């Protein structure tokens, strides 16, 4: 039940997946193998295994679903990097920059299809439930990503709309990971929903943290270009809090930064100065903490044995204190 063992198990599964991957053309095999091995926290597959373990499941039944969730996640990242025009991920070139956009689109598609194929291994008793949750989630991620793109061109996004958007693009996949993990332990009652709620709240605070790291993290650790969200006019929580608390003069400066052509580092520097002035980081962290409290509340309601409870809590806390 040790975290390092769960992580190692996932890594081995990814290695095996890469070894056996044979999509007829190396044009697709190679970028997929590359992307899966340049890093990644593997947090979602770990959540699948943990949900299986806290409900005393047979871990072997959770391995393929865990890999499926990680492949699906990598599919969303490959397409997200095209949409966000991101050249760097996990400290390395993104697939569409190293190869090209068509390759990144098809590799993403192939990963998504492989994720569905892996779920075919689920027992008949849970197969339909697993598929239902997975497909619902996949569709929600698409909606969340479209909202994220729509918001780039809007200046009157509310914090409520933002929270809904990040729930869809990010949090529901964590929820699905834990729910499917619970299913593999044959937990299909309200406890499966509770552990899903825990993971969704955790996912919302995780995405808020992702927004914070994008502009306040250490670039070498985060592995993405610092301030990428600012360059793309993303309506992150920091941006919304800045717009909300700015006086007219500052608001005009923000508008100018968003609407005119600037050299990226200049734009990021100027926006970060505004963020500092308006102390948006502290305010964003308050939101992050409040969602983490909701996550803990859901976790408490599960009334797990102490050891299992501690395992989940410690993992969730480590995510909240991450540097990448
Ligand atoms: C990045 O997810 C995309 C978000 C939903 C914020 P991760 O931060 O889990 O990315 P990896 O897999 O560890 O690289
Ligand atoms: C990613 O959100 C959400 C999905 C990939 C579905 P971001 O665009 O903020 O993720 P990063 O920062 O590129 O990892
Ligand atoms: Mg994005
Ligand atoms: Mg992105
Ligand atoms: Mg981000």
């Amino acid at each position: 039940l040790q975290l390092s063992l769960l992580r190692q198990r996932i890594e081995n599964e990814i290695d095996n997946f890469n070894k056996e991957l044979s999509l007829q053309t190396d044009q697709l095999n190679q970028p997929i193998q590359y992307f899966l091995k340049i890093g990644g926290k593997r947090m979602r597959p770990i959540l699948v295994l943990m949900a299986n373990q806290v409900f005393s499941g047979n871990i072997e039944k959770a391995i393929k679903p865990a890999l499926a969730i990680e492949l699906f996640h990598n599919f969303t990242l490959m397409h997200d990097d095209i949409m966000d025009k991101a050249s760097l991920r996990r400290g390395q070139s993104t697939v569409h920059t190293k190869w090209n956009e068509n390759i990144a689109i098809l590799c993403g598609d192939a990963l998504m299809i492989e994720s569905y194929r892996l779920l075919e291994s689920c027992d008949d008793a849970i197969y339909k439930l697993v598929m239902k949750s997975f497909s619902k989630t996949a569709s929600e991620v698409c909606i969340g990503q479209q909202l994220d793109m729509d918001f780039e061109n809007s200046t009157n996004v509310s914090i409520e709309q933002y929270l809904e958007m990040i729930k869809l693009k990010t949090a529901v996949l964590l929820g699905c990971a834990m729910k499917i993990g619970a299913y593999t332990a044959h937990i299909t009652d309200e406890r499966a929903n509770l552990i899903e709620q825990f993971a969704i709240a955790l996912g919302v605070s995780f995405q808020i943290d992702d927004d914070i790291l994008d502009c306040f993290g250490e670039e070498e650790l985060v592995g993405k270009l610092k301030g990428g969200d600012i360059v793309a006019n993303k309506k992150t929580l920091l941006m919304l809090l800045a717009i909300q608390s700015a006086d007219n003069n500052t608001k005009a400066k923000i508008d100018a930064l968003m609407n005119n052509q600037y050299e990226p580092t200049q734009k990021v520097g100027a926006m970060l100065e505004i963020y500092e002035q308006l102390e948006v980081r502290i305010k964003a962290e308050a939101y992050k903490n409040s969602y983490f409290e909701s996550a803990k509340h859901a976790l408490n309601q599960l009334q797990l044995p102490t050891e299992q409870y501690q395992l989940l809590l410690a993992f969730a806390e480590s995510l909240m204190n991450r540097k990448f």
Side-chain angles (χ1 to χ4, degrees), residues 85-96:
K85 303 183 175 62
S87 56
L88 210 62
R89 165 158 320 269
R90 299 167 173 165
Q92 306 280 332
S93 295
T94 48
V95 171
H96 71 99

Side-chain angles (χ1 to χ4, degrees), residues 20-78:
E20 285 161 22
L21 184 65
S22 49
L23 293 169
Q24 308 292 332
T25 162
D26 277 340
Q27 304 266 56
L28 297 179
N29 290 324
Q30 279 164 3
I32 290 175
Q33 289 160 337
Y34 161 82
F35 199 62
L36 288 174
K37 284 310 287 181
I38 55 173
K41 293 179 285 298
R42 316 302 190 202
M43 124 188 132
R44 296 161 191 79
I46 287 171
L47 288 174
V48 176
L49 299 186
M50 282 193 169
N52 167 282
Q53 288 295 284
V54 298
F55 293 125
S56 314
N58 171 357
I59 198 161
E60 296 309 319
K61 300 274 184 191
I63 299 290
K64 289 224 152 45
L67 181 59
I69 295 279
E70 181 64 14
L71 297 187
F72 184 86
H73 164 62
N74 281 271
F75 140 63
T76 71
L77 293 184
M78 269 189 206

Side-chain angles (χ1 to χ4, degrees), residues 80 84 89 169 207 210-211 214 224 229:
D80 177 75
D84 292 348
R89 165 158 320 269
K169 77 167 178 177
Q207 181 61 49
D210 181 80
D211 287 2
D214 194 90
K224 310 179 213 177
D229 288 338

Side-chain angles (χ1 to χ4, degrees), residues 260-306:
N260 300 318
Q261 295 291 336
Y262 284 94
E263 198 271 312
T265 50
Q266 232 186 342
K267 178 172 174 178
V268 172
M271 200 70 90
L272 284 180
E273 242 170 67
I274 295 175
Y275 284 2
E276 301 279 355
Q277 271 168 24
L278 299 174
E279 298 180 337
V280 293
R281 184 181 180 164
I282 296 174
K283 293 173 194 158
E285 263 157 12
Y287 276 89
K288 169 186 151 185
N289 292 336
S290 117
Y291 276 89
F292 190 58
E293 288 305 313
S294 309
K296 283 195 279 193
H297 181 70
L299 184 59
N300 286 331
Q301 280 181 294
L302 270 170
Q303 298 191 313
L304 295 167
T306 313

Side-chain angles (χ1 to χ4, degrees), residues 133-198:
S133 170
F134 193 66
S135 293
K136 176 172 184 277
T137 301
S139 151
E140 287 172 339
V141 172
C142 290
I143 298 165
Q145 286 287 75
Q146 183 55 42
L147 289 173
D148 177 280
M149 297 312 291
D150 290 344
F151 291 173
E152 282 186 11
N153 302 311
S154 170
T155 41
N156 55 1
V157 177
S158 69
I159 289 183
E160 206 180 2
Q161 287 173 306
Y162 162 84
L163 290 168
E164 178 65 13
M165 180 273 283
I166 65 170
K167 179 179 166 186
L168 293 169
K169 77 167 178 177
T170 299
V172 293
L173 185 58
L174 276 74
C176 178
M178 292 211 94
K179 191 176 210 180
I180 288 180
Y183 287 161
T184 64
H186 297 280
I187 299 295
T188 57
D189 57 19
E190 65 275 14
R191 284 174 298 163
N193 292 327
L194 262 180
I195 205 157
E196 180 185 29
Q197 289 315 310
F198 159 72

